[in-house]
Amino acid sequence: MSVPMSMAATVVLYPSPGIGHLISMVELGKLILTRHPSFSITIFTTTTSFNTGSTGPYLRRVSSTTPSITFHNLPLIPLDPASFPSTEAITFELLRLNTPHVRRSLLSLSTTTTIAAFVIDLFCTPALPLGSELNIPSYYFFTSSAGCLDCFLYLPTIHQNINQSFKDLNTDLYFPNLPPIPAADMPSPMLERNSTEYECFIDFFNHMPKSDGIIVNTFEALEPRALKAISAGLCVPNGVTPPVFCIGPLIASGEDRGGGGGDVEECLTGAIEGDCNRVGEEWAEVFVGGAGSTHANPGAFGIARPRFGFVAPGRFLGPDEGEGDGGPVVGPAGGGAAARFGGWVRDSLRVELGVGSRVRWGSDGGVLAWPLYAEQRLNRVLLVKEMKLALWMNESESGFVTAEEVEKRVTELMDSEEGKAVRDRVKAASEGTREAMREGGSSRVALAKLVESWKQS
């Protein structure tokens, strides 16, 4: 692997299957190219024998618009979904079996270019040792919050100190510099201790400190307490914590989200950046981004009030889709626009894959935190109790959120003192976002340090 750096250098990105993981890595690649155009980006993509959604149109669009990003498709490994207990389990096995293909691809690529860095996501941990073997600096790209990273790095320590499943623990768990988190709010695939998924995740978390660094899609001013705990080594008490590079936020917009683009997409981006304009004086904009799940209750969206309106993206993704259809839906509740989610249809709403429910009022914003699966319950605790950027949504015993609860929380967000405080903090966070991403801002400096370390390795 003694290719001179005078040759063209590429950064290899390796996401796990699925459009969401792919988009995140593409956006990281675009950011690197924007600031450091001398690099090229190579993204390894995984072919699956089970349904992870369509990515073809997205890949073709990125290839045509960003020629410095190339995609390398790894060979198909046939697996029978019926032989695995969950999507996570079959995905983990696929990525484990992928590792020899990844190794051969890295070796082949290294004969024609310098591989400046190898960046993987959490699920691709089986490929991490390849970095040391081939003398390539290897990093994780962590797309969730620093608070979530704090938890994940510390979970092996908690694992050593308890012997029960999280689902059976009626108690809080304590992580460095974070509020107490109910054991039942741990990521859903980890709730059962004696499961393949739990075992794999603990193994992933144990490997993260062995990387050359962790790239996080956040910015320093947003999560100072969690980042302080990580940098002080509190989350890996019996090991060495690698450097953390907060380069975010990365937000795909327009067609790069896999959607239809347009003003509605810009408003969704504006929910973070604070740039979305008021739809009207008499009603609020309510963006609903639910994970693709049939657990969503249509009745939960039955807010037929003149002052409420629903705005959703021009395209949406169903539980097993990578493509959507239709145009933007903008209008007051009861406006008659068709909506589709899973198997049900309801007027005036379209639901997109995402995390939580976002509500905007004028140029201010806030979040109603309604988790559905994966690590979203953990994210809710962090959003509400740590970052204080959201209001808690209470589920019924069935796991649904009722229409009355949605109405109550939307009204609270818009009209109460607590809601105003949340909106003020969201506004401050959006200002912090712009500060972090501008020239000389913390995220730009972190990216520069990261790339400089590649050039010196």
Side-chain angles (χ1 to χ4, degrees):
M1 302 277 314
S2 58
V3 178
M5 281 297 289
S6 58
M7 293 180 62
T10 192
V11 178
V12 176
L13 309 180
Y14 178 32
S16 50
I19 189 69
H21 299 277
L22 178 61
I23 289 175
S24 297
M25 281 295 192
V26 167
E27 290 304 313
L28 176 61
K30 288 180 179 179
L31 177 66
I32 294 169
L33 292 173
T34 298
R35 309 300 297 181
H36 303 275
S38 61
F39 285 106
S40 65
I41 303 294
T42 303
I43 300 181
F44 289 172
T45 58
T46 301
T47 305
T48 66
S49 56
F50 53 97
N51 188 9
T52 58
S54 170
T55 59
Y58 175 74
L59 292 173
R60 290 191 290 272
R61 185 163 60 247
V62 173
S63 296
S64 65
T65 59
T66 315
S68 292
I69 296 180
T70 59
F71 296 96
H72 175 78
N73 198 28
L74 299 169
L76 172 67
I77 299 176
L79 293 175
D80 180 11
S83 302
F84 295 86
S86 67
T87 300
E88 291 86 3
I90 190 174
T91 301
F92 296 163
E93 177 65 4
L94 172 63
L95 294 173
R96 184 185 72 81
L97 296 173
N98 243 0
T99 302
H101 296 312
V102 175
R103 184 181 187 276
R104 282 192 288 270
S105 297
L106 289 171
L107 284 171
S108 176
L109 191 61
S110 68
T111 63
T112 59
T113 185
T114 299
I115 302 178
F118 180 44
V119 182
I120 65 176
D121 71 20
L122 182 65
F123 290 1
C124 296
T125 291
L128 180 68
L130 296 177
S132 297
E133 177 189 344
L134 303 178
N135 196 30
I136 304 171
S138 299
Y139 298 78
Y140 280 93
F141 181 37
F142 193 77
T143 56
S144 194
S145 65
C148 192
L149 178 61
D150 177 317
C151 292
F152 286 3
L153 289 173
Y154 194 71
L155 271 170
T157 300
I158 289 181
H159 168 74
Q160 293 173 358
N161 293 327
I162 65 173
N163 54 19
Q164 291 179 273
S165 296
F166 291 139
K167 67 181 179 59
D168 299 324
L169 284 176
N170 187 24
T171 186
D172 289 335
L173 302 176
Y174 293 87
F175 298 86
N177 283 12
L178 294 179
I181 299 175
D185 283 347
M186 286 296 99
S188 51
M190 294 193 67
L191 292 179
E192 175 55 61
R193 186 182 180 92
N194 298 316
S195 68
T196 299
E197 296 89 337
Y198 179 93
E199 179 182 343
C200 287
F201 272 117
I202 291 297
D203 180 63
F204 296 169
F205 302 156
N206 273 315
H207 274 83
M208 291 184 81
K210 300 175 184 178
S211 66
D212 290 293
I214 303 173
I215 306 165
V216 189
N217 188 15
T218 189
F219 59 99
E220 291 179 2
L222 183 64
E223 303 180 82
R225 283 170 24 93
L227 289 168
K228 182 177 180 181
I230 295 169
S231 63
L234 301 181
C235 301
V236 190
N238 299 315
V240 177
T241 303
V244 172
F245 301 90
C246 298
I247 52 82
L250 293 180
I251 306 168
S253 61
E255 290 192 349
D256 290 338
R257 292 172 52 91
D263 293 339
V264 174
E265 297 277 357
E266 294 302 317
C267 283
L268 280 171
T269 304
I272 298 294
E273 299 179 347
D275 296 330
C276 189
N277 293 323
R278 197 171 287 189
V279 172
E281 294 292 340
E282 300 302 323
W283 53 291
E285 302 169 16
V286 181
F287 295 98
V288 183
S293 167
T294 55
H295 294 300
N297 178 8
F301 305 115
I303 310 176
R305 300 288 187 271
R307 68 182 303 197
F308 296 151
F310 297 103
V311 181
R315 285 178 180 259
F316 64 97
L317 300 175
D320 300 310
E321 297 176 286
E323 293 296 309
D325 59 0
V329 177
V330 182
R340 173 178 176 274
F341 184 65
W344 57 266
V345 176
R346 184 171 183 84
D347 286 349
S348 72
L349 185 63
R350 183 163 276 147
V351 179
E352 183 205 55
L353 278 172
V355 179
S357 302
R358 187 179 306 284
V359 178
R360 296 188 52 79
W361 177 237
S363 59
D364 300 326
V367 176
L368 299 182
W370 174 15
L372 294 177
Y373 79 126
E375 82 279 19
Q376 292 176 7
R377 300 186 73 89
L378 169 59
N379 287 338
R380 173 171 64 177
V381 176
L382 297 173
L383 276 169
V384 174
K385 296 185 178 180
E386 176 62 18
M387 290 183 267
K388 302 185 187 304
L389 297 175
L391 296 179
W392 195 280
M393 294 275 278
N394 294 308
E395 300 107 330
S396 65
E397 291 183 2
S398 65
F400 292 140
V401 174
T402 65
E404 291 76 18
E405 175 69 9
V406 176
E407 179 178 356
K408 176 182 177 182
R409 295 306 180 188
V410 171
T411 301
E412 182 180 358
L413 185 63
M414 295 193 309
D415 294 340
S416 73
E417 286 300 315
E418 183 179 1
K420 181 180 183 302
V422 167
R423 299 200 316 272
D424 287 346
R425 284 190 289 269
V426 168
K427 185 176 181 180
S430 70
E431 293 170 353
T433 297
R434 287 189 287 271
E435 182 67 24
M437 296 298 283
R438 71 180 222 175
E439 198 67 39
S442 62
S443 294
R444 294 297 192 218
V445 170
L447 179 63
K449 289 180 178 179
L450 175 65
V451 173
E452 187 60 31
S453 71
W454 298 343
K455 293 178 178 179
Q456 295 176 357
S457 61

